[in-house]
Amino acid sequence: MDPAPAVKPADRVEVVEYTDPLCPWAWGSEPVFRGLRAALAGRVRWRRAYCVLFDDDDDPPPDPAAETAWYARYIEDIGAHTGAPRARRLSRVAASSWPSSLAAKAAERQGDEVAERVLRRLRESVFVLGEPADTAARALSAVRGVPGLDDERLAADAASAAIREAVLADRAEARRPVAEVLSVRGGSPHPGAAKETAEGGYRYALPTLLVRAPAGRRVVPGWRSYEEYAAAFDELSPGLLTEPARPAPSEALARYRSLTGPEAAVLSDGPWPPRDAVRVETGNGPLWLHPDEAAVHPARAHAPGAPAAP
């Protein structure tokens, strides 16, 4: 009798990332999450569930200008903890997370690499450019030029009933948090206890990672250190997390195309920035783009001296 086929770790361990493209804590967690994904590449099934932080039925603010000013200060406070860049000027609070969530979910049909880069652009729309991708047109504009992306297919998929059902399922899943996050303690400025919803239930705080393995499950909510995530993986599957060699700065920028200062510190090894990196100014440190990314990135239109949009 032939021996049973070996079960790959990726078939046994699932990581669910509860997130939203427009969440500031999720944006600030990108250095750690990018590091985790590199250390777990090929060893887990990693999927994202989009929570829909800004829902279509949310009441519009009575004073949009005051709401925007308050939210800009909120993002600034979060950036003080995370070190993540923030836009020099926020044009408005996002009207809805649906367009960016639909685009991010639709991009998954075009492969992991395209999906990663689409989600990144959607995050940068608000936290780098200050123009949240909160309509279908803005979401599609934000991701234009992503390498390998079929723009027409993305637009069609994002508008399809199937993708909307998938995001609805994500939204519902995010509103069924595990018991462990109903009460969370810890020294983090964002410990990640579940949030009450208008319907009287709860949803995951963003971001939250839920790890499932044959040995059980672990949940790591809120803004956490790399070591706290690593400990959760080690408890469930010792040795699963392996630290890859960090590439030279030029190689890291070529791989990721877009890096913040905190990301460069954990994802590359050597003097930063690379000679050909393109610097994009923000309100809290620069964003660094690979030259090929800079040539197609919407930051071009926001650079000083750029012509006004028609």
Side-chain angles (χ1 to χ4, degrees):
M1 179 181 296
D2 292 335
V7 178
K8 299 177 182 178
D11 296 330
R12 298 185 294 112
V13 179
E14 179 188 49
V15 182
V16 186
E17 176 188 348
Y18 295 97
T19 191
D20 186 286
L22 309 182
C23 171
W25 284 110
W27 168 241
S29 297
E30 277 294 273
V32 169
F33 282 11
R34 279 182 153 184
L36 281 173
R37 288 194 291 271
L40 292 165
R43 298 180 179 87
V44 302
R45 175 179 177 247
W46 188 301
R47 69 177 175 89
R48 291 188 175 95
Y50 292 102
C51 177
V52 187
L53 184 60
F54 300 98
D55 220 333
D56 283 346
D57 58 1
D58 291 345
D59 293 332
D63 186 339
E67 181 81 358
T68 299
W70 174 86
Y71 195 66
R73 290 193 298 271
Y74 175 67
I75 292 174
E76 183 175 357
D77 289 344
I78 292 172
H81 294 293
T82 67
R86 56 176 170 78
R88 288 181 289 183
R89 176 185 175 275
L90 181 66
S91 66
R92 64 189 178 282
V93 179
S96 173
S97 290
W98 273 100
S100 57
S101 298
L102 292 167
K105 182 64 71 175
E108 294 175 2
R109 292 187 169 187
Q110 299 190 39
D112 292 344
E113 188 170 319
V114 167
E116 289 291 332
R117 289 175 173 173
V118 164
L119 177 57
R120 177 67 174 209
R121 287 278 197 90
L122 294 167
R123 295 197 195 282
E124 290 171 347
S125 74
V126 58
F127 301 115
V128 175
L129 306 179
E131 294 286 346
D134 56 359
T135 68
R138 290 175 181 136
L140 294 175
S141 177
V143 304
R144 193 168 294 125
V146 164
L149 177 67
D150 183 331
D151 294 339
E152 292 185 2
R153 179 184 176 188
L154 183 74
D157 286 343
S160 70
I163 292 298
R164 186 168 186 85
E165 286 298 319
V167 175
L168 278 169
D170 283 355
R171 182 186 180 281
E173 180 182 344
R175 283 156 178 76
R176 297 190 299 269
V178 296
E180 295 95 308
V181 299
L182 295 180
S183 178
V184 176
R185 297 178 181 178
S188 169
H190 177 46
K195 305 289 187 180
E196 289 191 49
T197 65
E199 298 83 10
Y202 291 89
R203 67 161 174 84
Y204 284 107
L206 305 181
T208 290
L209 284 194
L210 178 63
V211 186
R212 295 190 182 98
R217 75 183 182 199
R218 295 291 185 276
V219 61
V220 189
W223 188 63
R224 302 285 172 166
S225 69
Y226 184 93
E227 290 71 24
E228 289 176 272
Y229 292 106
F233 284 102
D234 285 341
E235 289 172 6
L236 289 176
S237 185
L240 181 66
L241 197 72
T242 62
E243 299 300 328
R246 291 191 295 167
S250 59
E251 295 173 2
L253 193 58
R255 173 181 175 183
Y256 291 104
R257 293 179 65 92
S258 167
L259 287 169
T260 66
E263 289 172 331
V266 300
L267 296 173
S268 68
D269 184 19
W272 187 267
R275 190 175 306 173
D276 61 349
V278 177
R279 180 184 179 118
V280 176
E281 297 297 344
T282 77
N284 185 32
L287 177 77
W288 300 98
L289 300 179
H290 186 274
D292 292 345
E293 178 70 6
V296 294
H297 196 282
R300 293 179 305 162
H302 292 254

